[in-house]
Amino acid sequence: MRITLSVNGEQRSSEVEPRRLLVHHLRDDLGLTGTNVGCDTSSCGACTVLLDGESVKSCTLLAVQADGREVTTIEGLAATAGGNGAEGAAGFHPMQQAFHEQHGLQCGFCTPGMVMAAVSLLVEHPHPTEAEVREGLEGNLCRCTGYHNIVKAVLAAADAGVPA
Amino acid sequence: MTATDTPATSGAFGQRLLRKEDARLLTGEARFVDDLQIPGALWLGMVRSPFAHARIGSIDTSAALAMDGVRQVLTAADLADAWAGPMPCAWPVTEDMKAPDHFPVAGDKACYVGDIVAVVVADSRYAAADAVDAVVVDFEALPAVVDLEDAASDRVVIHDGLGTNRSYTWTLSPDPDAVEAAFAGAAHRVHERYVQQRLIPEAMEPRGVAAVPGVYGGDMTLYSATQIPHILKVQIAATCGVPEHKVRVVAPAVGGGFGSKLNVYAEELIAVAVARRLGVPARWTESRSENAVATIQGRGQIQQMELAADAEGKITAVRANLVADMGAYLQLVTPGIPLLGAFLYHGVYDVPAYHFECTGVFTNCTPTDAYRGAGRPEATYAVERAIEALARQVGVDSAEIRRRNYIATDKFPYNSIAGLTYDSGDYEPALDRALALVDYPALKAEQQRRREAGETKHLGIGLSSYVEMCGLAPSRVLASLNFGAGGWEAATVRMLPTGTVQVVSGSTPHGQGHETCWSQIVADKLGIDPADVEVLHSDTAVSPYGMDTYGSRSLPVGGVAVGMATDKIIDKAKAIAAHQLEAAEDDIEFVGGELRVRGTPSRAMPIQATAFEAFTAHNLPDGMEPNLAAQVVYDPPNFVFPFGTHVAVVEVDEETGAVRLVDYAAVDDCGPQVNPMIVEGQLHGGIVQGVAQALWEEAAYDADGNLRNASLMDYLVPSAAEVPSIKLDHTVTPSPTNELGVKGIGEAGTIGSAPAVMNALIDALAPLGITELEMPARPERVWSAIQDARRAPGAAGEEGQ
């Protein structure tokens, strides 16, 4: 099947098998390897991307389901940072900056998915409590951090006005 | 050997420096092994036994070979001449240890669910996955041995040539008569049985490999999600017959390990063998469900733990007997993991008589090996649970029984009955701070209030004091234990002509932040900006010497080596400065990044200038080699012994058995902290893994040896919603073992936490008469224990112990 996705603002057209997972299309066909595969039961969230602005697990979507839609991956995040000075050092999105400042990552494998999920969480709940952050990130597993600093990072990003 | 004159530090040591590693990980630019784009690579798929124990008959590959994109399907026979040697076990723990031959592809018998029986080679990952399903293997199922005590009885012997499932019995018993006498004369005796359930390490990155022949003039480059590229290089030579000097191993970005990537795996060797044969790259990435059976599991012990104590509860002897689950085969360190805890079953307590014995037993389950703590969480669990039982007998509370038994501060360095020398320790302040952090008196008051009010949500507070031995390890000690490798670490530090610094380390970080921390050590000594230091690692072509990362060794061995190499280049810079400033070397001091003549500060040169001078070599002292660089290979003289006290607060709903972790506080001491932010991160993650063992995780095998919870849907790795934020504090008791005074901290969180949680649970349920509870404390298990206690004759009514 021929599909055309808008990926991080760029039109990408490809020929894919109907059964091809979106995450494999992004990683292997389009070379966007930031999004990771961590499990095979939609449990871990390492594959989280935004589909038309909403967080989805790209391991549980077929590439053909994204035809004609907008996909934002971790590679596209900094480019979407607001032009109001919310960009951090090194061109980070404020959520990336918050993860950096709060030491919200160690091995980094869950991080792209965690950051995308957190961005989406704050769109829906701009001022979450700690409990709401923890529940909101239930779909994203991390084995390294124990979540303590991830939660701090999301709360810091919320305080900094994300999404601004 | 020469220290810097004055620390004159840039202050980088001890700073909460934000990590250098972050940018590439946050943006998705980091390359994990599955991210690598390798033109022409073939994809491997592993056909795995669905039976825990079965004879392998015919293998019909025809359907698979007929599929699009499938190039080969290989069986054990097809690969037989690929191997120069069997898969390695680096630790024959006893002279008479029994181990089956272990090759990457099973030939006659499959011995665990997940054992590889055939290999598919295909053009794409999807084609490989399709073809794996199409390979037809004729299995003759055999009775599977899963229960550890059943396996030890030899009712069914797994490995035909061995005659038994018992691989070894290892004993540490310095004075058996003293132990007997202590138990005979004891005022109090504790005898408890604990089960250390199997755990799945579940690093978020599944394992993967890519074997690429003919790169950089070498015969073979193996990219692997590994913690041990250096050890793997040696083993590839030994197993695959590729000459060692032609092997390069690269660990790209690695997404967590926790010990599960400290191994030599069949898939790595298969990829090398296939790539060699076909002359094209061969790669493989496991799925999560595959990981659960194909990657080593942790723990797996049944412990008989005994304490003898006097009337005041002072422990007079410890006797620990273990049966340890090896799984189907011995992987790299499998038999030795329980023994890494063998010396610590008396923990932080001053105990004069000691006996430890462990029997390793084969089962038809996934092989076990190192998982965060590797033997030490098990030891700490046993002594920290048992001392609570002692406290109940003696009639004192948890803090008091510990105070009565702690090794006193003035006893360090402490020569333990088990034969260790604990380098430094100061146990009571950590306990005091931990109790203060949770406001222990207030918690006890709330607990009492709920009990008097008859509330059904019970509060429990549990302590755990631990010491652990890490910084593996003095090589001579490893020799005495029959471990097959040494415990040194290598570091090269070079200041380049333009003044920036490269550090080459033999450590292999996979989340621990070595690039940041080694930069801080170097920058602190040199008086430079950590941003001017680049740390190179994880590639045997770039870092040729190393013993890699595990056992909380990288800082106390690797980081110390980095510091020592830095000291050496400072010495060389001084010699250059003395020569060029026409002064005696003894008159040169190094202050604020500058070498200057003592008493004449205007006669000075920045250290960067000496690096340029060393490069041009126009005016160096006679006999000095050009370039400002030094290598150190450091073999530590001792282990290091971090310690601490953790407190867990749980709430148990007696109507449902549900357990909620309400609060958690930890006070840990790893000596001076290079980067407190990174230390805290290691503790947070380690603690949650130990909590998860106590409350949620277990690799659940059925009687036929099927792993019932191979996916993350039902193997319960906690999410953010299951755990609270964690209160941390620390004390600083430097180690005399190394010049930085540092100790490892990577595993300490996991070592301290599981017993704290279980002790909290038992504390919560004490009024219901419950004193025994196994991990994981699932709601069903807790609820059943409550029902059983209620039905027991003379069941406890209200509160009271």
Side-chain angles (χ1 to χ4, degrees), chain A residues 40 49 53 106 123:
Chain A
D40 47 14
V49 298
Q106 292 180 25
V123 167

Side-chain angles (χ1 to χ4, degrees), chain B residues 439-679:
Chain B
D439 195 353
Y440 190 66
L443 283 172
K444 293 297 271 185
E446 170 62 12
Q447 180 184 58
Q448 189 59 19
R449 184 199 68 71
R450 292 190 191 197
R451 286 173 176 172
E452 283 166 5
E455 290 189 16
T456 55
K457 290 199 173 155
H458 301 263
L459 205 62
I461 309 115
L463 298 187
S464 161
S465 290
Y466 75 90
V467 63
E468 89 111 334
M469 54 189 280
C470 64
L472 269 55
S475 299
R476 288 180 185 175
V477 172
L478 296 178
S480 72
L481 294 171
N482 223 29
F483 182 75
W488 47 266
E489 196 45 89
T492 296
V493 175
R494 57 176 91 104
M495 183 174 274
L496 303 174
T498 53
T500 59
V501 176
Q502 282 182 332
V503 174
V504 182
S505 175
S507 69
T508 309
H510 38 284
Q512 297 93 330
H514 295 175
E515 291 174 22
T516 303
C517 292
W518 296 180
S519 298
Q520 289 178 255
I521 291 171
V522 172
D524 192 85
K525 284 181 180 279
L526 294 181
I528 63 176
D529 186 341
D532 288 338
V533 182
E534 182 81 353
V535 179
L536 308 172
H537 58 87
S538 301
D539 178 343
T540 62
V542 169
S543 163
Y545 299 117
M547 287 304 297
D548 301 314
T549 290
Y550 43 82
S552 305
R553 69 188 303 270
S554 293
L555 174 60
V557 191
V560 168
V562 169
M564 292 167 73
T566 309
D567 288 342
K568 270 194 175 179
I569 69 165
I570 292 171
D571 286 345
K572 188 166 185 179
K574 281 187 182 172
I576 294 170
H579 178 75
Q580 296 199 359
L581 298 173
E582 294 173 345
E585 257 189 74
D586 286 344
D587 290 335
I588 298 292
E589 53 183 18
F590 181 50
V591 180
E594 265 198 345
L595 300 128
R596 61 189 195 201
V597 179
R598 193 175 286 108
T600 321
S602 58
R603 288 168 65 202
M605 55 195 298
I607 191 167
Q608 291 83 354
T610 68
F612 190 76
E613 293 298 316
F615 169 70
T616 60
H618 289 167
N619 182 16
L620 295 179
D622 290 341
M624 176 182 278
E625 293 178 10
N627 294 315
L628 190 59
Q631 178 186 279
V632 165
V633 185
Y634 169 61
D635 198 332
N638 192 4
F639 299 88
V640 288
F641 295 84
F643 61 89
T645 292
H646 291 200
V647 184
V649 183
V650 302
E651 182 180 81
V652 184
D653 184 336
E654 76 173 51
E655 291 177 348
T656 62
V659 179
R660 192 169 68 91
L661 183 65
V662 169
D663 204 1
Y664 196 99
V667 178
D668 302 279
D669 191 319
C670 58
Q673 299 184 0
V674 177
N675 186 321
M677 180 187 80
I678 288 180
V679 170

